[in-house]
Amino acid sequence: MFLNLKTAVAAIALSAVAGTVFARDLVINFDDLNPGPKKGFEDAVEMFKAENPDINVIVNINDREAHKTAIRNFLTADAPDVTSWYPGNRMAPFVDAGLFQPVDDVWEENGFSEDLSAIKATMSRDGKIWGVPYSYYQWGIYYRKDIFGLLELEEPQTWDELLAACGKMKENGVTPFTIGTKFLWTAAGVFDYINLRTNGYDVHNALTAGEIKYTDPRIVATFDNWEQLINECGFVDNHASMSWQDAIAPFANGDAAMYVMGNFSVDGYKNAGLTEDQIDFMPFPTIDANVPPAEEAPADAFFIPTNAKNVEDAKKFLAFVARPDVQTEWNKTMGQLPINSKAGISDDKFIQEGFALLNGATGLAQFYDRDAPAAMAKAGMEGFQEFMLDPSKKDAILKRLDEVQAEVY
Amino acid sequence: MTHAVLPDTNSRPEPGWLKRNKLAIAPWIFLIPALIFFSIYVVIPIFESLWLSLYKWNGLYDVDGNSTAVWVGFENYAKLWYDPNFWTSLRNNIAWLILYMLAVPLGLFIALFLNQTVTGMRFYKSMFFFPFVISQVVVGLIFGWFYNPDFGVVGTLWKAVFCEETTNILGNTTFVCSRPAPDILSSPEWATYGIIAAGLWPQIAYCMILYLTGLNNVAADQIEAARLDGAKGWKMLWYVVVPQLKPATFIAVVVTVIGALRSFDMIAIMTQGGPFGSTNVLSHYMFEVAISEYGERYGYGSSVATVLFGIMLFFISYFLWRMYQDEKGGR
């Protein structure tokens, strides 16, 4: 309510000052206060204002966690004209409750089906498109280039090469992988990748949509591979009491050599004192050569609430954020990847590699906890953490996940 | 109230109804503000929560502001019965209740120990009371670090005994341990006990302060008389001192039971219910299924709340009944 009050006060104050100069208000709620993303958004809004002087843009920026709570109220009580949110299953409750409106016409008029094709399936539900994405980032393996150099290792391309490289690391007293599973989701990244490489994108989607069981032989195969990774490669001890930031410490110290993570973690490595010469990025190795490559690439998007007052200008803004030149600038500032295939990218090496990786992908998963419904995601990720602590409990965990699945969907 | 009205010999006009019933009305007038707020913030939400536990609801309203809840009757309770996480939480609640009771005797012994006249005793007393003053969140954080197997006290001691300092492949200092350090907060068997130990620290201080005030009121003549009769040590404590501390003991038990059932902050700070739900208690599980990021099951969360409410109601009714009996006896 406080936020809404602030909006109202800002609106009144602005209209008092501006008088009749501004014809229309456009209220946008955004969800990231971190310096990079905030600046990227604000710059884009400035540009939009310059192009549309007749629109009075009112911006509310909240931090992510607060936004997640606030959106549940403001969509009904006092809807903005545009709000940021996430695609995949995260948008499902709002779509199902009729709180977002479809934006198929924005996609058609601007040729987004073409330029944003990789993400179209993720933005769709019930045969309609519900939002426009502005940014995403890649997941993969970040590794210590200097350790790989000392051990004379190449980037492993296949599962067997990865296991062989792990063997060599362990002989030399290096723990292959670091991870911090205290907040659960990091384990889901590892699971998603092993599953995408073992079974592919369609199985990932079918699983998170509740169409196949966790005791399905294909998912069991994923867990068997994971068990092999735990036994032959291995993760740092005590990972269940570390956050993902804590897990950077053994990586920075050289005790662990690899980290399955998203590109947002690069800042963390640099803050821990690592330079670009010491770290590098590689795609997660192939497990089954017949499975087409699919990647993990969570996207951020904008949506129009059903209760929006200024839908016309909201659609104008949505068309604006997906424009190639806007996405280029925005993502350079944010340090992420533009989704529009016509957009340019910065010369940061991780961004370059990520861009090449995602352009070659046949499918983009949003991440386990965005693709699966909340209750399933929670139970699933707890199961992953339990499995990582004790792989011998596999059968019991999978059986329990089946029970949760039967109840959730 | 008629007996309060004296026979009116003067011919003054009959006083108004308000004036005649002043004594009966005044307390209610003073109570009204409290009653209004108590019903808005406590009583009505309790009934709303009971009602909500019969619905399936993800907490959203549709465009017109109507709730999207669907009536499911007692289905949420049936689900609870088959939910292993619920039973884990309930079991942990019982562990909390039982182990938290240790705070009462431990608080008593510290109070007895501190109940002597030594220079600077006030300072020592306040030091012992200190953990109760700092926030539970801070206590949780401190114990979280204390247990940390990498840089905590536990980890450091372990390294001193079982680990060898070496240099890793890059020449940085690292430790190689003959057995891995115990990771208390990540172990499904031990984490709950680790959190209870952290919770006991401030709770013991609380019980101690209750007993210290109680000890001030212990009748010196009875101690004197008992001493003349040859009582000392444990017998003196058990038959003379403890019975006189009965009011303090009662309050200490009440606050400890309620504290154990409300244990939320420590869990939220130290483990978030993890690893994989094994340190959840009902209050945290309710939060998790209803309003945390992966929750959105308000009806189900309300049914957990209802069970917790039932347990609390049992204890609270007993305590109120006891207090009522004491008041009656005291008159």
Side-chain angles (χ1 to χ4, degrees):
Chain A
M1 266 338 265
F2 177 65
L3 222 164
N4 297 330
L5 186 71
K6 237 170 60 181
T7 318
V9 170
I12 292 164
L14 267 172
S15 57
V17 172
T20 51
V21 176
F22 294 119
R24 310 185 298 263
D25 286 346
L26 179 69
V27 182
I28 305 172
N29 286 9
F30 186 66
D31 70 338
D32 206 334
L33 280 175
N34 290 315
K38 182 166 178 270
K39 186 170 186 308
F41 172 68
E42 283 170 344
D43 289 352
V45 167
E46 283 310 315
M47 194 168 153
F48 182 73
K49 275 185 188 165
E51 287 177 22
N52 301 280
D54 56 333
I55 301 175
N56 176 31
V57 184
I58 299 163
V59 166
N60 304 304
I61 309 184
N62 217 334
D63 86 89
R64 279 210 165 203
E65 297 311 312
H67 183 82
K68 281 177 188 166
T69 316
I71 192 172
R72 306 177 70 84
N73 294 324
F74 70 59
L75 285 184
T76 310
D78 183 15
D81 299 310
V82 177
T83 182
S84 55
W85 192 243
Y86 320 107
N89 208 288
R90 282 297 175 95
M91 71 181 186
F94 300 128
V95 170
D96 294 346
L99 294 171
F100 284 154
Q101 51 178 292
V103 291
D104 296 69
D105 48 343
V106 179
W107 280 63
E108 250 166 57
E109 283 162 24
N110 298 282
F112 289 164
S113 299
E114 190 90 339
D115 299 345
L116 306 173
S117 61
I119 202 82
K120 189 174 173 184
T122 325
M123 299 297 317
S124 307
R125 189 173 172 85
D126 302 334
K128 291 188 183 121
I129 308 172
W130 299 91
V132 168
Y134 62 92
S135 174
Y136 64 175
Y137 55 88
Q138 82 273 19
W139 271 66
I141 299 180
Y142 292 82
Y143 68 94
R144 285 296 296 262
K145 212 174 172 179
D146 42 2
I147 297 181
F148 271 55
L150 281 171
L151 296 174
E152 293 167 352
L153 290 169
E154 295 288 318
E155 287 185 5
Q157 306 289 323
T158 65
W159 190 243
D160 291 333
E161 284 174 28
L162 177 69
L163 296 180
C166 288
K168 201 160 181 189
M169 288 176 210
K170 282 168 102 175
E171 275 169 30
N172 289 280
V174 177
T175 308
F177 284 100
T178 186
I179 193 169
T181 60
K182 183 174 181 184
F183 296 100
L184 305 174
W185 53 269
T186 47
V190 179
F191 168 78
D192 272 353
Y193 259 117
I194 299 175
N195 195 30
L196 286 171
R197 292 291 185 264
T198 310
N199 299 309
Y201 182 62
D202 294 336
V203 171
H204 167 91
N205 270 350
L207 179 73
T208 51
E211 285 154 16
I212 57 177
K213 286 172 167 258
Y214 284 79
T215 45
D216 185 287
R218 288 168 290 185
I219 306 301
V220 175
T222 299
F223 274 85
D224 288 340
N225 285 333
W226 197 355
E227 190 171 351
Q228 197 177 21
L229 189 76
I230 292 168
N231 291 334
E232 294 183 31
C233 282
F235 293 83
V236 287
D237 290 337
N238 310 326
H239 58 76
S241 59
M242 291 194 280
S243 68
W244 75 265
Q245 290 101 331
D246 294 338
I248 292 177
F251 186 68
N253 197 41
D255 298 335
M258 294 181 281
Y259 200 177
V260 179
M261 252 295 142
N263 197 52
F264 56 85
S265 62
V266 171
D267 267 348
Y269 309 141
K270 289 182 180 165
N271 289 338
L274 295 172
T275 61
E276 288 215 351
D277 301 328
Q278 288 173 299
I279 39 177
D280 209 350
F281 174 83
M282 63 180 168
F284 199 91
T286 314
I287 294 177
D288 181 343
N290 298 321
V291 172
E295 305 296 331
E296 197 96 291
D300 295 320
F302 282 107
F303 296 83
I304 306 180
T306 309
N307 278 347
K309 288 167 202 81
N310 187 356
V311 177
E312 191 192 329
D313 289 330
K315 286 188 172 166
K316 212 178 242 181
F317 185 74
L318 255 57
F320 170 82
V321 297
R323 236 166 56 188
D325 59 321
V326 178
Q327 292 219 336
T328 306
E329 274 312 307
W330 193 331
N331 284 292
K332 262 184 196 167
T333 318
M334 268 179 94
Q336 290 198 9
L337 286 166
I339 301 185
N340 193 314
S341 55
K342 287 182 184 143
I345 52 167
S346 71
D347 42 15
D348 177 87
K349 77 168 172 182
F350 298 105
I351 295 292
Q352 299 263 353
E353 286 198 53
F355 189 71
L357 177 74
L358 296 186
N359 275 353
T362 54
L364 296 177
Q366 283 304 295
F367 205 72
Y368 183 77
D369 76 346
R370 288 194 189 179
D371 285 332
M376 186 69 239
K378 174 78 182 173
M381 295 193 302
E382 283 184 353
F384 301 156
Q385 188 197 36
E386 187 172 0
F387 175 77
M388 286 189 74
L389 289 175
D390 186 358
S392 68
K393 288 198 201 146
K394 183 178 71 192
D395 295 334
I397 294 168
L398 294 178
K399 211 171 135 263
R400 199 183 61 231
L401 292 183
D402 270 355
E403 285 163 14
V404 176
Q405 193 187 43
E407 192 208 291
V408 168
Y409 293 93
Chain B
M1 298 308 289
T2 42
H3 63 277
V5 184
L6 292 168
D8 192 6
T9 45
N10 298 334
S11 58
R12 262 187 309 183
E14 184 84 348
W17 180 87
L18 203 70
K19 217 161 202 172
R20 273 184 288 128
N21 296 293
K22 207 158 62 180
L23 277 178
I25 294 169
W28 289 106
I29 291 177
F30 284 107
L31 275 174
I32 279 173
L35 283 179
I36 289 175
F37 284 105
F38 190 68
S39 46
I40 290 178
Y41 292 110
V42 179
V43 180
I44 296 171
I46 287 175
F47 285 101
E48 270 192 334
S49 173
L50 290 176
W51 187 240
L52 199 54
S53 72
L54 304 175
Y55 285 88
K56 185 184 167 106
W57 188 38
N58 65 0
L60 288 179
Y61 294 89
D62 68 10
V63 182
D64 307 317
N66 301 318
S67 161
T68 56
V70 181
W71 173 268
V72 292
F74 287 92
E75 198 187 297
N76 284 327
Y77 294 94
K79 273 190 204 161
L80 271 188
W81 185 262
Y82 295 105
D83 182 353
N85 283 333
F86 168 73
W87 291 107
T88 311
S89 308
L90 194 62
R91 213 169 28 244
N92 285 336
N93 258 123
I94 293 167
W96 271 87
L97 267 176
I98 295 170
L99 291 174
Y100 230 46
M101 279 301 145
L102 286 174
V104 178
L106 290 174
L108 173 63
F109 284 116
I110 295 177
L112 289 169
F113 172 66
L114 290 177
N115 193 39
Q116 38 189 318
T117 36
V118 179
T119 337
M121 193 37 107
R122 272 162 192 269
F123 174 74
Y124 299 128
K125 278 181 187 170
S126 57
M127 282 294 102
F128 272 93
F129 186 56
F130 185 66
F132 183 68
V133 179
I134 52 181
S135 146
Q136 295 249 314
V137 175
V138 176
V139 174
L141 268 182
I142 293 174
F143 268 78
W145 291 332
F146 177 82
Y147 291 139
N148 188 294
D150 290 316
F151 58 79
V153 175
V154 171
T156 314
L157 285 178
W158 192 269
K159 274 180 192 159
V161 181
F162 293 105
C163 304
E164 241 182 283
E165 192 178 320
T166 52
T167 49
N168 67 14
I169 188 165
L170 295 173
N172 295 333
T173 317
T174 188
F175 291 90
V176 177
C177 302
S178 54
R179 56 179 84 181
D183 193 355
I184 294 168
L185 291 184
S186 308
S187 129
E189 294 87 26
W190 295 107
T192 292
Y193 303 107
I195 304 172
I196 295 175
L200 272 176
W201 190 44
Q203 192 64 28
I204 289 171
Y206 192 12
C207 292
M208 178 205 77
I209 211 80
L210 289 171
Y211 276 121
L212 273 176
T213 49
L215 283 169
N216 281 337
N217 297 325
V218 169
D221 50 346
Q222 288 189 23
I223 305 271
E224 190 72 33
R227 193 161 283 151
L228 285 176
D229 287 345
K232 53 182 142 177
W234 290 104
K235 283 207 158 152
M236 169 78 98
L237 176 67
W238 191 247
Y239 292 107
V240 181
V241 179
V242 171
Q244 294 194 56
L245 289 174
K246 204 179 147 204
T249 308
F250 178 68
I251 297 294
V253 170
V254 171
V255 296
T256 308
V257 166
I258 292 173
L261 289 172
R262 291 200 324 183
S263 49
F264 175 88
D265 339 29
M266 297 263 177
I267 293 159
I269 288 296
M270 294 172 79
T271 59
Q272 291 83 41
F276 41 89
S278 54
T279 59
N280 256 336
V281 294
L282 290 177
S283 54
H284 192 266
Y285 189 54
M286 164 187 85
F287 160 79
E288 195 179 284
V289 295
I291 42 188
S292 73
E293 186 176 354
Y294 301 110
E296 300 174 7
R297 286 183 293 166
Y298 283 72
Y300 194 54
S302 296
S303 64
V304 179
T306 305
V307 173
L308 182 60
F309 177 68
I311 297 171
M312 285 198 166
L313 201 62
F314 170 77
F315 283 105
I316 292 169
S317 318
Y318 171 72
F319 292 144
L320 288 177
W321 179 76
R322 272 286 304 273
M323 282 207 283
Y324 182 66
Q325 296 296 320
D326 283 359
E327 295 243 314
K328 270 206 311 201
R331 239 170 230 165

